[in-house]
Amino acid sequence: MAANILEGDVLKNSKRICSNNSSAFNKSHILEILNNRPIGNVKKRLGFSDNLIFNLYNSFDSVQQSNYHFDKYWGGIFNLEFSLDGKLVVAACEGKQILLFDAANHKQLKVVENAHQNCVNCVRFLNEQTFATSSDDTLIKLWDVRNIKSAVVTLHGHTNWVKNIEWSEQEQVMVTSAFDGTIYAWNLANITETNMLFDKVFLMKGLMRMKLTPDGTKMIIATTTGYMIIIHDLNLLTLATDLKYFQPNLYRLMQMSDQSFPVATPYNHLFNPHRKRNRIEFIDDFPNEAEAISSLQIHPHGWSAVSRNLNGSENEEWTTVHDIQDRDPKDYENAYVIIEDINTDDDSDEFNNRRPTDLWMGYISIDDYNNFNRSRQEDQNIYENVQIPSMGIVSSGLIGLSASYSTYFQHHPEEKNKIIRNLPRMTHYIKEKSLGKGFIKELCFSSDGRIICSPYDKGVRLLAFNEYCHELSMCVPEIPQQLKTIVEMNDYHRDIVVSCKFSPTHYQLVSGCLGSDIKWYQPVL
């Protein structure tokens, strides 16, 4: 059996709800397989593997070793990460610590006090020995598990809370994102305090989270304004150049207002389905009025992205699964709309005396917009601190913002009033409990991609794409379906759960809460 079953007692005061939507193990058939296996006569009935995996996940429960306890309060456990071989677990703590555990016996191996100057947000293993951490102190640190007394190196660059660390195997670089709206790519082959191979590869206002697919061919970006961005055929070497001056929020505003902006439509070519590198696509179909997409994880095969979002009132949270795979270019042939021009031939006094409609009223001012562009063109450090104000007025281009746009549209008249539409990509969803306001709840996929673990009040629940825990490729719905709850484990923690992580090698799960404790789960048969 693939599961790594450890000895332990089930917590007696827990509340556990199991799904009854699948048939139980056929124990006689299992005994038959075990008896025949020594003579090489093993015949598995159709669906045996799926049924076995379902029962493994359905039997998940919390286990506690007798020699394991917390003797200190670390604050919230904001992130958990297994080593690549599944032997170690590192916890990122609100109290500035990082904790190292043995995944086999749950024993705490090491505590690094003041690992950062502020709460630790993220942990990511880059190889068997090295992991990186990021913090609200804007720093990224690299650590060696063989000597964890101090960081190997500290990297400076971001100017706000660093929330994501990714490793691009394809480019052999570490990629990070922060609430300053920047994405950096770092060259770790020749580490110094300031050495960066690609420098700043992307910048946008409202960037929340960033993830790479396992093969490094796609970057997924979650925002604070209710949409996500897929960058297909990712090329980090050219990303900064290819997306230079592209402002996703302005393009998204154009989509929502159904009015073309001359400063946005020249970037329609970035959405072209035949584009060979750094092709842009937006995702905006959610089951609710999503605003801040706070948590983001990628399927281990790169098939889908699971996210957790809040609405504008912060009283609803939803978990949503979106397909992020390449689609047939024919699907995009009619994914656009043409906006009609204002009739400038109208000679009436009413038209001549009327100021042209200003499409971006209430978003940014002309002066601030020009200052923003000037800072961007100069590419100085001040650029990172430039913030677009939320009130004011800006020219829509009908008044005339730049002669360069007129020149562009003379050569590309078909793009002047064309707005790209977004294809539906949502496959599954489920509503969550809206608790722990102000804290991000980190989701995770199981290593086989069949299960999503979601923080749920003071516990977790295991969600599947259908009631049989089939792989996503075997149960792709025609229309979005609700995720199925396989196991719900309530009241296992002392406070709201905000992080969870599956082992990459075993049937093992770990979760952490705002109350500083960590719980371990595995099949209990």
Side-chain angles (χ1 to χ4, degrees):
M1 188 177 293
N4 181 32
I5 307 299
L6 305 176
E7 295 182 359
D9 298 322
V10 179
L11 292 178
K12 295 181 179 180
N13 296 324
S14 304
K15 295 180 181 178
R16 183 174 179 275
I17 302 172
C18 301
S19 169
N20 295 315
N21 294 325
S22 179
S23 60
F25 264 129
N26 187 332
K27 293 184 179 180
S28 62
H29 182 51
I30 294 175
L31 292 174
E32 180 184 344
I33 291 175
L34 293 176
N35 290 331
N36 291 332
R37 187 169 59 182
I39 61 175
N41 182 21
V42 179
K43 294 182 180 180
K44 296 179 180 178
R45 297 176 184 174
L46 184 65
F48 173 81
S49 296
D50 287 336
N51 200 25
L52 173 64
I53 291 173
F54 170 83
N55 280 276
L56 285 173
Y57 286 121
N58 194 59
S59 64
F60 258 69
D61 208 343
S62 180
V63 293
Q64 192 74 40
Q65 295 294 342
S66 58
N67 64 344
Y68 173 76
H69 66 278
F70 276 104
D71 56 4
K72 189 173 180 180
Y73 183 76
W74 313 109
I77 308 298
F78 285 168
N79 194 224
L80 293 157
E81 181 76 1
F82 279 87
S83 59
L84 301 184
D85 58 9
K87 294 181 179 179
L88 299 174
V89 172
V90 179
C93 301
E94 182 183 12
K96 309 177 187 177
Q97 305 89 355
I98 53 176
L99 314 177
L100 191 66
F101 296 90
D102 185 323
N105 59 21
H106 312 165
K107 182 179 179 180
Q108 184 177 291
L109 301 176
K110 184 68 176 179
V111 178
V112 181
E113 295 282 359
N114 297 312
H116 281 269
Q117 299 170 29
N118 207 327
C119 59
V120 187
N121 295 318
C122 182
V123 181
R124 177 64 188 259
F125 271 87
L126 308 181
N127 54 46
E128 289 76 7
Q129 288 84 35
T130 307
F131 67 90
T133 59
S134 66
S135 168
D136 284 359
D137 64 7
T138 76
L139 302 177
I140 301 156
K141 293 187 177 184
L142 303 184
W143 307 82
D144 191 319
V145 296
R146 296 165 296 187
N147 183 11
I148 202 171
K149 291 182 179 180
S150 61
V152 175
V153 67
T154 300
L155 298 174
H156 303 261
H158 289 291
T159 61
N160 208 320
W161 302 351
V162 185
K163 289 295 184 181
N164 277 111
I165 304 172
E166 294 289 290
W167 174 253
S168 172
E169 192 69 31
Q170 179 175 311
E171 305 283 1
Q172 287 293 295
V173 296
M174 183 176 69
V175 187
T176 61
S177 70
F179 282 177
D180 57 12
T182 61
I183 297 176
Y184 279 90
W186 308 79
N187 175 20
L188 303 184
N190 183 21
I191 298 176
T192 69
E193 289 290 323
T194 59
N195 185 28
M196 292 175 289
L197 178 59
F198 300 124
D199 199 354
K200 195 184 305 176
V201 296
F202 192 70
L203 172 68
M204 68 167 288
K205 181 179 173 64
L207 186 151
M208 189 75 182
R209 310 306 291 267
M210 176 275 306
K211 289 288 182 179
L212 302 181
T213 53
D215 61 5
T217 60
K218 291 180 174 63
M219 177 184 287
I220 316 300
I221 297 172
T223 73
T224 59
T225 48
Y227 73 104
M228 298 194 298
I229 304 171
I230 310 176
I231 303 179
H232 297 278
D233 301 309
L234 179 66
N235 187 327
L236 289 170
L237 283 167
T238 64
L239 183 62
T241 302
D242 290 346
L243 303 188
K244 189 177 183 180
Y245 303 146
F246 175 59
Q247 299 178 58
N249 288 335
L250 292 184
Y251 202 97
R252 178 65 184 146
L253 177 60
M254 183 173 70
Q255 289 182 331
M256 296 175 67
S257 65
D258 272 337
Q259 300 184 70
S260 81
F261 300 173
V263 296
T265 52
Y267 296 98
N268 284 340
H269 69 279
L270 296 177
F271 296 81
N272 191 322
H274 300 288
R275 184 176 172 82
K276 300 301 181 183
R277 74 183 190 203
N278 296 326
R279 175 171 65 88
I280 296 292
E281 183 173 355
F282 288 174
I283 294 175
D284 64 357
D285 54 330
F286 290 88
N288 61 318
E289 294 294 327
E291 187 159 318
I293 304 169
S294 59
S295 178
L296 178 65
Q297 295 292 331
I298 305 301
H299 190 281
H301 302 319
W303 294 342
S304 61
V306 59
S307 62
R308 187 157 174 161
N309 74 74
L310 284 165
N311 65 350
S313 302
E314 297 187 28
N315 59 3
E316 282 189 8
E317 292 188 34
W318 290 75
T319 288
T320 311
V321 180
H322 289 94
D323 173 24
I324 59 172
Q325 298 178 88
D326 292 339
R327 298 178 61 156
D328 190 327
K330 293 182 179 179
D331 293 345
Y332 298 88
E333 287 182 353
N334 298 315
Y336 66 90
V337 64
I338 302 297
I339 304 300
E340 294 184 4
D341 273 322
I342 292 178
N343 183 13
T344 54
D345 295 330
D346 189 345
D347 294 328
S348 67
D349 292 338
E350 180 183 357
F351 180 85
N352 292 329
N353 294 329
R354 187 178 64 209
R355 182 179 179 179
T357 304
D358 209 296
L359 306 180
W360 303 344
M361 188 175 296
Y363 286 88
I364 59 177
S365 69
I366 294 174
D367 290 339
D368 286 324
Y369 179 79
N370 289 336
N371 291 335
F372 180 78
N373 273 333
R374 190 178 304 112
S375 298
R376 177 180 57 190
Q377 293 165 3
E378 293 172 356
D379 198 24
Q380 296 176 347
N381 292 335
I382 193 175
Y383 175 46
E384 297 174 341
N385 298 320
V386 173
Q387 299 293 323
I388 300 179
S390 59
M391 295 300 293
I393 188 171
V394 68
S395 170
S396 65
L398 297 175
I399 301 173
L401 187 64
S402 172
S404 62
Y405 297 115
S406 298
T407 303
Y408 173 84
F409 292 128
Q410 286 176 4
H411 293 88
H412 304 86
E414 73 283 358
E415 300 293 336
K416 184 176 181 181
N417 299 305
K418 183 178 181 181
I419 303 175
I420 303 299
R421 288 296 189 215
N422 308 319
L423 298 180
R425 282 189 170 271
M426 181 171 61
T427 63
H428 297 82
Y429 61 89
I430 194 167
K431 191 173 183 179
E432 303 280 9
K433 288 186 177 181
S434 184
L435 299 169
K437 185 175 181 179
F439 290 95
I440 294 171
K441 290 87 176 180
E442 298 286 2
L443 304 150
C444 70
F445 273 106
S446 60
S447 60
D448 56 17
R450 293 173 182 249
I451 294 291
I452 297 167
C453 181
S454 172
Y456 194 68
D457 200 349
K458 295 182 180 180
V460 297
R461 59 178 174 176
L462 304 187
L463 307 170
F465 301 113
N466 67 9
E467 59 269 32
Y468 308 111
C469 292
H470 287 161
E471 291 190 1
L472 179 58
S473 58
M474 300 298 294
C475 54
V476 179
E478 293 292 331
I479 59 174
Q481 299 292 320
Q482 182 163 302
L483 289 163
K484 305 299 181 182
T485 301
I486 303 302
V487 178
E488 183 179 303
M489 292 171 276
N490 295 325
D491 297 329
Y492 279 51
H493 283 268
R494 68 181 72 170
D495 208 334
I496 304 299
V497 174
V498 292
S499 61
C500 56
K501 194 70 175 182
F502 272 103
S503 168
T505 55
H506 305 301
Y507 287 99
Q508 188 177 28
L509 172 69
V510 63
S511 64
C513 78
L514 294 175
S516 194
D517 62 336
I518 293 175
K519 300 298 180 185
W520 305 76
Y521 311 81
Q522 59 207 32
V524 179
L525 303 176

